[in-house]
Amino acid sequence: MKFLIDNIFLVALAAVSGLMLLLPTLRNGKRGGAVTPAEATQMVNQRQAVFVDVRPPAEFAEGRIAQSRNVPDAEIEQKAAALPKNKPLVLVCMNGKASAKTVEKFRKQGFAEVTSLAGGIAGWVQAGLPIAKG
């Protein structure tokens, strides 16, 4: 106990550092867990995951991940039935925030394994990965 009292600043620094390291993990857990572009690519290659772009059609046409399917957020209830429920879904938006919020909508439609792409299409491009247009 004497050590803790004598070194209160070190103990506080260690506690704050630990919390800062844990915070991103806690945030991802609340959003359904976002995956990096590299992790998403592995999911597609190893587990046949499907990219689902939740942006409006005009934004989707400006630049998208090849092979992704466009299911705008406003049309999930109508278009989700056309997606495979036996494969993981990776939701994509512009910066990763909207898709993270949309994960729960897909789960309510019966999709068990849904995640969002961290950083969205902007993160994909920043990672140096290709996009398709049109």
Side-chain angles (χ1 to χ4, degrees):
M1 188 61 131
K2 182 176 179 350
F3 174 81
L4 292 177
I5 295 170
D6 291 344
N7 297 294
I8 191 71
F9 291 114
L10 290 176
V11 172
L13 180 64
V16 169
S17 296
L19 182 61
M20 291 178 73
L21 290 171
L22 189 59
L23 196 58
T25 303
L26 294 173
R27 284 186 182 163
N28 284 343
K30 290 179 183 174
R31 293 186 305 185
V35 294
T36 66
E39 292 169 331
T41 302
Q42 285 180 344
M43 287 176 69
V44 170
N45 292 337
Q46 296 172 359
R47 301 175 52 217
Q48 292 78 44
V50 176
F51 285 111
V52 179
D53 199 312
V54 297
R55 297 177 296 157
E59 287 182 30
F60 180 76
E62 289 176 12
R64 59 183 171 78
I65 297 171
Q67 310 301 321
S68 63
R69 300 183 188 185
N70 188 221
V71 179
D73 190 19
E75 300 173 20
I76 290 171
E77 289 78 20
Q78 297 85 12
K79 293 188 174 183
L83 297 170
K85 290 192 177 185
N86 61 341
K87 295 181 180 179
L89 300 183
V90 180
L91 305 186
V92 181
C93 66
M94 184 56 75
N95 59 17
K97 293 179 183 175
S99 60
K101 293 177 183 175
T102 306
V103 166
E104 193 56 38
K105 288 183 181 181
F106 277 91
R107 288 192 178 141
K108 286 180 181 176
Q109 292 291 322
F111 295 91
E113 194 171 354
V114 185
T115 188
S116 65
L117 180 64
I121 196 77
W124 183 267
V125 171
Q126 186 177 5
L129 297 168
I131 59 169
K133 299 202 180 215

